[in-house]
């Protein structure tokens, strides 16, 4: 059973998510938080698998709450999915830097929300849709200049190639088709790359791809 914590200051939004997720056989809503402080506290108490976290909340915003959750060893394994609107897009790349495993636009289709919850538990990042690729490229363009590429020295040429494809938002299946290998082989390359770089998850691997200069804004594949 996947346990989800809903963190949003709008009761109506929480009720909608609860109604949608509560009817799934493999998902249960473990709790609700109306502000960032409460979200951090409930993560410690309830240890959910996934937190659906609004960015703008009182007392403590979603970015700060996410940093506290992902930075706490006691919360290891808790995945945070940020909820945003197109008006708040400038926060999305920072959300991934802060430790979020991905993000969703609030008006996403119901089936996409359910799929997203399952995906992050399986270790995938919510970075595949084309709109997400464009957003990541835009935020990367606003971020700091690429760091020294020394972080990539441990990688083979194939692993760098795979990392670049992850960076432009391709799924394992899409990477497999691009490289003409099996999905399992693509997944293995991604996993080895994450281990070598100490990446927490696929989302952090995307950030590293941009910050190392391996991927540049606009490379949307």
């Amino acid at each position: 059973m996947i346990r989800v914590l809903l963190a949003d200051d709008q009761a109506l939004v929480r009720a909608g998510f609860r109604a949608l997720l509560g009817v799934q056989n493999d998902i249960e809503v473990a709790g609700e938080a109306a502000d960032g402080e409460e979200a951090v506290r409930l993560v410690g108490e309830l240890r959910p698998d996934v937190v659906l976290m609004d960015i703008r909340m009182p007392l403590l915003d979603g970015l700060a709450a996410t940093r506290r959750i992902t930075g706490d060893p006691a919360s290891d394994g808790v995945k945070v999915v940020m909820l945003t609107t197109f008006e708040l897009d400038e926060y999305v790349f920072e959300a991934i830097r802060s430790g979020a495993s991905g993000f969703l636009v609030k008006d996403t289709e119901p089936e996409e929300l359910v799929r997203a919850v399952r995906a992050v538990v399986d270790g995938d990042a919510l970075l595949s849709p084309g709109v997400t690729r464009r957003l990541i490229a835009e935020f990367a363009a606003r971020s700091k200049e690429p760091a020294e590429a020394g972080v990539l020295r441990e990688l083979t040429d194939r692993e760098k190639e795979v990392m670049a494809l992850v960076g432009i938002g391709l799924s394992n299946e899409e990477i497999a088709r691009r490289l003409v290998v099996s999905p399992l082989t693509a997944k293995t390359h991604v996993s080895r790359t994450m281990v070598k770089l100490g990446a927490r998850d696929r989302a952090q691997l995307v950030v590293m791809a941009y910050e190392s200069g391996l991927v540049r804004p606009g490379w949307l594949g």
Side-chain angles (χ1 to χ4, degrees):
M1 186 66 71
I2 300 171
R3 304 178 73 248
V4 178
L5 173 67
L6 306 176
D8 195 297
D9 61 337
Q10 298 183 46
L12 187 60
V13 172
R14 298 198 308 272
F17 286 162
R18 177 180 281 276
L20 174 63
L21 297 174
V23 298
Q24 307 301 317
N25 293 331
D26 58 338
I27 299 174
E28 69 173 0
V29 176
E32 298 182 22
D35 60 66
E37 289 282 3
E38 187 177 20
V40 173
R41 178 177 61 81
L42 288 179
V43 165
E45 294 178 3
L46 303 175
R47 292 304 305 275
D49 299 297
V50 180
V51 181
L52 294 181
M53 180 84 74
D54 188 23
I55 288 183
R56 272 191 183 169
M57 290 189 293
L59 300 184
L60 189 69
D61 67 36
L63 294 176
T66 297
R67 284 191 289 268
R68 284 173 55 177
I69 291 169
T70 59
D72 183 355
S75 299
D76 185 42
V78 178
K79 304 292 187 180
V80 178
V81 176
M82 305 300 299
L83 301 172
T84 184
T85 66
F86 283 115
E87 287 73 30
L88 298 178
D89 282 344
E90 67 269 20
Y91 296 116
V92 176
F93 194 71
E94 184 60 32
I96 297 174
R97 283 177 186 261
S98 298
S101 292
F103 63 92
L104 289 172
V105 177
K106 278 192 173 182
D107 63 356
T108 190
E109 293 295 324
E111 59 269 21
E112 177 64 17
L113 175 66
V114 174
R115 187 201 68 80
V117 169
R118 294 175 178 142
V120 293
V121 170
D122 288 339
D124 293 330
L126 305 177
L127 302 171
S128 294
V131 62
T132 303
R133 297 177 199 169
R134 292 193 295 272
L135 292 176
I136 291 174
E138 180 181 347
F139 304 140
R142 301 176 186 174
S143 68
K144 63 185 182 182
E145 289 298 312
E148 291 297 323
V151 68
L152 305 179
R153 289 174 185 160
E154 297 298 317
L155 303 184
T156 65
D157 289 342
R158 175 46 62 96
E159 287 165 348
K160 290 177 184 176
E161 186 176 15
V162 168
M163 183 177 176
L165 295 175
V166 171
I168 62 173
L170 299 192
S171 66
N172 289 343
E173 290 74 17
E174 291 169 327
I175 292 172
R177 289 196 294 270
R178 182 72 66 91
L179 300 180
V180 195
V181 298
S182 71
L184 179 59
T185 298
K187 183 177 181 180
T188 298
H189 284 311
V190 172
S191 297
R192 286 178 178 169
T193 302
M194 289 172 59
V195 169
K196 285 185 177 182
L197 297 180
R200 178 184 55 251
D201 55 24
R202 199 180 184 99
Q204 190 175 27
L205 193 62
V206 170
V207 174
M208 289 180 171
Y210 278 106
E211 293 188 339
S212 67
L214 183 64
V215 176
R216 300 288 180 140
W219 291 7
L220 303 181

